Amino acid sequence: MLSAVRRLTLSLALSVCFTLPAAARAPVLGETANQQTRYIATYFPGRMTGSPAEMLSADYLRQQFAQWGYQSDIRAFHSRYVYTTENKHANWHNVTGSTVIAAHEGKEPQQIIIMAHLDTYAPQSDNDVDNNLGGLTLQGVDDNAAGLGVLLELAQRLKAVPTRYGIRFIATSGEEEGKLGAENVLKRMSEKEKKNTLLVINLDNLVVGDRLYFNSGQSTPAAVRKLTRDRALAIAHQHGIPAATNPGLNPRYPQGTGCCNDAEVFDKAGIPVLSVEATNWSLGKKDGYQQRAKSKAFPDGNSWHNVRLDNQQYLDEALPGRIEKRSRDVMRVMLPLVKELAKAGK
């Protein structure tokens, strides 16, 4: 249940309708994802866990799911993270995050979870503040409005598609503070629900990186990797979309696996995962954190949490057409893949 303060914040802000106008024609693949990405980044910057922008973005997502006929709700969770001052003093920061869940029912109890985190980076030290990392003005296009855009388009296109297995769409919060929302989702799952979860697909950082990567979890069985990661790569290559999987050049991250996002929580619990991201696992420390070659536009080879870089205007200038293209490319892979995995009917 939302607290009285959170309910008041939402009721005041929702006097404005945060819904996109209905299109007069059926959008082409990726168009809805692109529109949703830009809308979320524009109207909900600073989506830090527990902030008014985060709560409003969560309710916007709930409205979108409801508009398409989904039963959707917002689950609040309480957690905390450490903030470090300039003199190295660590303080606990309490937060109440918002997770949005919408369910597509299948004919059987097994399910596939599709996730994307809705929060943007909250400064976790005085050093972060000094370096303009995170905060109220961070649009978070790459991290992670684009992931939400694809999540929403998948939900829209799959709503009327009958499937053998259920699909649960989840927008988590608290990812930037240590995957807090994903941990809460896992904690609330019963043992039966965990057993019935065939796969968790995580969408994160889809824009800035050199190419798309499809990575499995370390605990994902080989047979499942073939049906998920390898199948995703095959679909991408059929469409001429540059895509790869982690080559395993860093011993901390074995070949074909990802790291450091919400999927990791489920991987550690023994649930099969597929991480979808855009980066470059062959550069820098070979840990996926250097998304592209260093350049004048991206001095560190990434846009992580940077207010100046991770916004629409900058990305449209530095990488013209990239947001639209990645929205389309990811949808071209993920829509047929999810239909296959969920055993969609005609």
Side-chain angles (χ1 to χ4, degrees), residues 62-75:
R62 183 195 61 77
Q63 288 184 49
Q64 290 298 289
F65 287 129
Q67 179 178 306
W68 298 324
Y70 284 93
Q71 198 72 23
S72 177
D73 66 347
I74 299 174
R75 295 182 181 177

Side-chain angles (χ1 to χ4, degrees), residues 45 176 245 264:
E176 299 292 2
T245 191
E264 190 175 19

Side-chain angles (χ1 to χ4, degrees), residues 112 165 198-199 201 227-228 336-343:
I112 294 168
Y165 305 132
L198 303 176
L199 180 71
I201 299 172
L227 293 172
T228 58
L337 179 67
V338 172
K339 285 183 177 179
E340 287 182 14
L341 295 174
K343 305 296 183 184

Side-chain angles (χ1 to χ4, degrees), residues 104 140 198 207 253 280 296 301 308:
H104 178 290
L198 303 176
V207 177
Y253 312 114
N280 194 322
K296 184 178 180 180
R308 185 179 66 86

Side-chain angles (χ1 to χ4, degrees), residues 308-319:
R308 185 179 66 86
L309 304 183
D310 196 5
N311 66 76
Q312 291 182 80
Q313 181 178 357
Y314 191 86
L315 293 178
D316 283 340
E317 292 177 358
L319 302 169

Side-chain angles (χ1 to χ4, degrees), residues 293-314:
K294 295 180 180 180
S295 64
K296 184 178 180 180
F298 298 94
D300 296 322
N302 62 57
S303 62
W304 301 115
H305 312 148
N306 192 310
V307 172
R308 185 179 66 86
L309 304 183
D310 196 5
N311 66 76
Q312 291 182 80
Q313 181 178 357
Y314 191 86

Side-chain angles (χ1 to χ4, degrees), residues 1-140:
M1 296 293 292
L2 290 174
S3 67
V5 174
R6 287 162 66 81
R7 286 198 302 271
L8 178 60
T9 302
L10 286 172
S11 64
L12 289 174
L14 291 175
S15 59
V16 178
C17 182
F18 290 123
T19 55
L20 287 171
R25 57 175 177 79
V28 298
L29 204 62
E31 185 176 344
T32 295
N34 172 57
Q35 290 174 347
Q36 293 284 1
T37 296
R38 293 181 179 278
Y39 190 87
I40 291 167
T42 298
Y43 289 99
F44 309 111
R47 303 180 296 280
M48 298 174 289
T49 307
S51 68
E54 182 246 25
M55 288 184 278
L56 292 171
S57 64
D59 202 74
Y60 170 74
L61 294 172
R62 183 195 61 77
Q63 288 184 49
Q64 290 298 289
F65 287 129
Q67 179 178 306
W68 298 324
Y70 284 93
Q71 198 72 23
S72 177
D73 66 347
I74 299 174
R75 295 182 181 177
F77 65 91
H78 305 285
S79 193
R80 61 180 185 169
Y81 65 94
V82 173
Y83 185 95
T84 306
T85 63
E86 190 174 5
N87 59 9
K88 306 302 180 184
H89 183 68
N91 298 310
W92 281 107
H93 208 106
N94 295 315
V95 292
T96 298
S98 303
T99 294
V100 188
I101 300 177
H104 178 290
E105 299 299 337
K107 296 178 181 178
E108 298 186 15
Q110 288 80 15
Q111 67 176 1
I112 294 168
I113 293 176
I114 305 177
M115 302 177 65
H117 74 87
L118 65 85
D119 61 308
T120 53
Y121 188 74
Q124 296 174 30
S125 67
D126 287 346
N127 186 59
D128 281 350
V129 174
D130 292 341
N131 286 284
N132 207 27
L133 298 178
L136 295 172
T137 59
L138 176 60
Q139 286 193 353

